[in-house]
Structure formats: C-alpha cells, structure tokens
Amino acid sequence: MTADLAVGDLVEVEVGPVAHGGFCVARHEGRVVFVRHALPGEQVRAQVTEARGGQRFVRADCVEVLTASPRRVPAPCPYAGPGLCGGCDWQHADLTYQRDLKAAVVREQFSRLAGMEVDVVVEPVPGDVDGLGWRTRVEFAVDPSGRAGLREHRSHAVVPIDTCLIADPRVLDTGVLRADWQGHEGVDVVVPSIGAPVTVGLPAQGDDIPVVVERVAGKRFSADFEVSARGFWQVHPGAAATFVDVVLELLAPHPGETALDLYAGVGLFATALATAVGDGGRVVAVESDPEAVASAAANLAAYPSVVAVRGRVDDAFGVPRASRSGPAPRRTQRPRKLRRHPLLPLTADVVVLDPPRTGAGRAVVDQLAQLAPRAIAYVACDPAALARDTAYLRDHGYHLRELRAFDAFPMTHHLECIALFAPGEARASAPVT
C-alpha cells in the first residue's frame, strides 16, 4: 500500500542515494520522496513541499536532521535552507563531498540512460578555493516592494536577501540589493573580466542592454570576446578558458581541417578552432540566439576561415524540430519546409557540440554522424542529456573515449561535462574514464 501524502505532511525517512537535480532519494510507505537539504545515509524529518495526484513521488524538504552524515557542515549562507533561496543545493555538504555527489549523479545517468558504467571525477575549476564568490553573472528577481532578491526553489516567490555568498563580491558592491527596483521584473548584474560591473533592469532590449568584454586566457588559446550583458557566458571566471583548453586538447585540430561548431554562442569555440585550423582550414559555426549571433559577428570578424550560419541546429540540418512543451501550433500555420542549409559542410574533421540543457537529440546526432568526423567534443551542462546523446552516438559507431567533469557551479547541483567521441570499435575495458 502506497502512502497518500499531501503538501505540509511531515515524514521521517532514511535518506538514500543522491538524485539528479539536488535531491536525495528516500521512501515512505512505498512512496518515493525526493528530499532537498539532506545527505545520503541520514535519518531526517522532511516536510512535503510538492505532491500531485497520479505521481509516484513527492518532493520534500529536510526540516530536522535526526542522524547527521559525517560530511554535513553548517551552511555558510543564512538563506540556504528549507523554504529559503533556491539557488544553492549543497551548502550543507563539504565541498569535496559535493563533487563526489555530482560524480555519482553522472555515473547514475550514464548507467540508466546509456547502459554504460563510467568512472568520473568532478574536478574543481582553476581559481576556485572554497566554492564561494565565483558567480560573475546574477539575475535577481524583484518583489512587489521593489526590492531585489532570489526565488525560492521551484517557486516564483521572492526571498529578500542582504547577501549572496556565491556571487562575486563586486556584484553586491553595485548596491543592487539596496536599490529600489519598482517597475522592474528583475535585474541583471554582470561583472566582466574587463571593465566595470554592469547593471540592467529587466525587461530590457536593444540599446538598453550594454555589451561587455570577457577575456579568455587559457594555456592553449587566448582572446577577448564581446558579449551582451544578457547573453550567455560562463558564470565561473575560470570556466571558459578551462573548457576551451580541454576541447582543444581532446580534438587536437590540425591546420587545414574542417571544423563544425554547433550551438556556437558568441563564438568561443569557433574562434579557438579557427586559430588551430588556420587560413587553410574552415570553421562553420551555427547559432540561433539573436544576441549571441550579433556578438559572434564581431568576435569572428578577424577570422576569414569562419562561416557563420544563423539558425537553429536542427533547422540547419533540415530535420524536424524536437518536440517541446508549449502551446500547439495553429492549424492554419504552414508546415515548415525541411531544407539543409547550403553552408553546412558535407563532411567535417572535428565537431564541437555545445547544446542547451535539453541536449542535441537523435535527429541532430543522426545528421552529425553522416559528416563522418574523426572526433566529436561534446560540452554538456546536463548529464542526463549527455547520456541520452551518448547512446545515439553509439548507434552510429561513435564511442565515448574520454569523459571529464568540472564543478563550474559550486554549492549547486549543476556541473559541466566534456566528452570525447570517436568512431571505431568500443573499448572492451570498462569503466570509461
């Protein structure tokens, strides 16, 4: 008999393994309970925060620790806890253990979704000391009184705060938490690697959004990039250089080769690839976001070997778009013609794949395999999507050769993985590292 639980119910549970998303798995009278602010092996009292009819699980928050894990530590931030800010998931675990938990999630996702046993260590990003003060881009919500704050977990409710310990101190030095933001839905604060911090009240568009400059100074590649203050850029100051260095190391692009950069953003990897393949090579970069495309045009202007394609990757390959939640299209809407973009190469030597959280998907992977690249570097912000796409790549004879993971978001459940795929026989020895 499965327990019938409702929001607000208190349950005493023994906490099991970590789950994807910053939860741990527990059970109460046959019902799965995903518990936040708990650690594996603990005995806790948890309060149900979300329960929906027909679901086999509920979500809950640990409100009392009865038997603590030896890896539990006091959360450094006063807003990290049940019913408070939803930005951090693991402040109650020591930093090394946080990375162990993230590695366990990667292993579980690969086992469940790709049928593979992988061995992976989550590495700190260079420059990180204690997991605090790293976030250089923060979007604050604004409450009805005009005060900036952060949202509760899985909620639109705004938690008023006086500090944010994972934010770069220069974010708070702007006075964003003391200012009156009446009339704004939110506010972005950006601390670029070059120049002064920038604050943008939301909504904002066009000339209201400044452009900042970010410097990448890696071991294998260095350059400056123009980025919209509302555009995508890695929020950890050491992440961009680290990821470029790893991708270049894994792919080892040669002069004269053809490279493809999918979901190219502002041109970070395309620029590095262009430097590696030289004037005799070719780089095709595909990106759909208008702000990123505008920035990429400026960043790639000095590289004649780069061809920029504006559009979604699935559209560029001429395949059906992956289904997404949202309103159904109107019946009067004309069906979209599927047509491969003429600037996409018919073959490629190396590919960088840096998709959004949903992953590339089977249709894009099918097209990618037809290009017959010798190597694919997959940069993933979601281990579940990476594991699913790993299975699709394996169907085409591309096997995982190397997997690295980085703690680019300390104190949260997020991480970044970089995987190398190459054609040929699967290696008999397991696990893959």
Side-chain angles (χ1 to χ4, degrees):
M1 189 72 177
T2 303
D4 187 15
L5 295 174
V7 173
D9 286 351
L10 287 171
V11 294
E12 187 174 315
V13 294
E14 182 177 344
V15 182
V18 64
H20 188 22
F23 298 89
C24 289
V25 182
R27 294 182 181 274
H28 177 73
E29 297 181 7
R31 177 66 63 90
V32 173
V33 183
F34 289 111
V35 188
R36 290 192 85 224
H37 300 111
L39 294 175
E42 292 186 328
Q43 195 80 19
V44 305
R45 187 168 285 115
Q47 185 169 39
V48 177
T49 56
E50 188 178 313
R52 298 179 181 176
Q55 283 186 336
R56 294 180 295 176
F57 65 88
V58 298
R59 301 180 194 275
D61 236 335
C62 167
V63 294
E64 184 181 358
V65 179
L66 305 175
T67 304
S69 164
R71 309 304 295 272
R72 176 175 282 274
V73 297
C77 178
Y79 304 106
L84 299 174
C85 172
C88 292
D89 306 288
W90 298 119
Q91 287 206 15
H92 56 288
D94 73 64
L95 192 56
T96 300
Y97 192 45
Q98 291 180 33
R99 293 168 183 154
D100 292 343
L101 294 173
K102 294 181 184 187
V105 169
V106 175
R107 289 193 295 269
E108 191 273 335
Q109 295 298 307
F110 269 84
S111 177
R112 184 170 62 87
L113 298 173
M116 296 176 60
E117 300 304 315
V118 298
D119 187 17
V120 62
V121 174
V122 176
E123 308 170 40
V125 172
D128 199 293
V129 177
D130 57 5
L132 301 175
W134 52 268
R135 192 174 186 99
T136 59
R137 290 175 173 242
V138 182
E139 182 175 334
F140 296 94
V142 174
D143 68 15
S145 72
R147 182 176 177 181
L150 295 170
R151 297 196 187 278
E152 293 181 17
H153 181 67
R154 295 174 63 86
S155 171
H156 292 291
V158 180
V159 178
I161 60 173
D162 295 315
T163 189
C164 174
L165 294 188
I166 66 170
D168 185 304
R170 291 171 292 176
V171 169
L172 306 181
D173 289 345
T174 63
V176 60
L177 297 180
R178 300 187 299 273
D180 183 356
W181 296 100
Q182 286 279 2
H184 295 278
E185 299 173 2
V187 54
D188 272 0
V189 182
V190 177
V191 178
S193 53
I194 296 178
V198 169
T199 303
V200 183
L202 306 177
Q205 58 183 358
D207 294 338
D208 293 334
I209 306 175
V211 172
V212 299
V213 178
E214 299 284 2
R215 173 160 294 168
V216 174
K219 297 177 181 178
R220 298 171 181 269
F221 170 78
S222 297
D224 292 346
F225 292 85
E226 292 186 8
V227 187
S228 164
R230 295 228 67 217
F232 175 79
W233 186 258
Q234 290 291 340
V235 295
H236 195 296
T242 300
F243 299 164
V244 168
D245 280 345
V246 171
V247 165
L248 290 176
E249 177 185 351
L250 294 178
L251 290 180
H254 306 312
E257 287 193 315
T258 295
L260 188 60
D261 182 11
L262 300 180
Y263 315 94
V266 301
L268 173 64
F269 294 113
T271 303
L273 290 169
T275 302
V277 303
D279 293 343
R282 185 186 183 205
V283 179
V284 179
V286 184
E287 175 55 49
S288 63
D289 180 75
E291 289 182 348
V293 168
S295 296
N299 296 328
L300 299 172
Y303 300 89
S305 61
V306 179
V307 176
V309 173
R310 178 175 178 175
R312 288 172 51 123
V313 170
D314 41 15
D315 288 352
F317 275 121
V319 299
R321 292 183 176 184
S323 60
R324 295 178 180 176
S325 59
R330 293 176 297 179
R331 293 186 178 182
T332 56
Q333 189 176 4
R334 290 185 178 182
R336 187 174 59 90
K337 291 183 179 180
L338 303 180
R339 185 176 300 155
R340 195 178 194 276
H341 199 286
L343 293 179
L344 281 189
L346 297 178
T347 62
D349 297 294
V350 294
V351 174
V352 175
L353 197 61
D354 187 10
R357 197 167 300 280
T358 50
R362 185 184 291 276
V364 169
V365 169
D366 290 347
Q367 294 296 311
L368 185 59
Q370 291 185 25
L371 301 175
R374 64 170 178 80
I376 301 169
Y378 192 131
V379 184
C381 59
D382 186 272
L386 173 60
R388 283 192 295 268
D389 287 343
T390 295
Y392 300 149
L393 283 162
R394 187 176 56 211
D395 290 342
H396 290 284
Y398 280 84
H399 297 283
L400 182 63
R401 301 304 188 194
E402 189 165 347
L403 176 63
R404 295 181 67 179
F406 295 92
D407 193 13
F409 311 90
M411 303 293 171
T412 79
H413 75 271
H414 299 287
L415 77 160
E416 204 87 11
C417 294
I418 302 180
L420 173 67
F421 297 89
E425 294 296 323
R427 294 178 180 175
S429 58
V432 176
T433 59

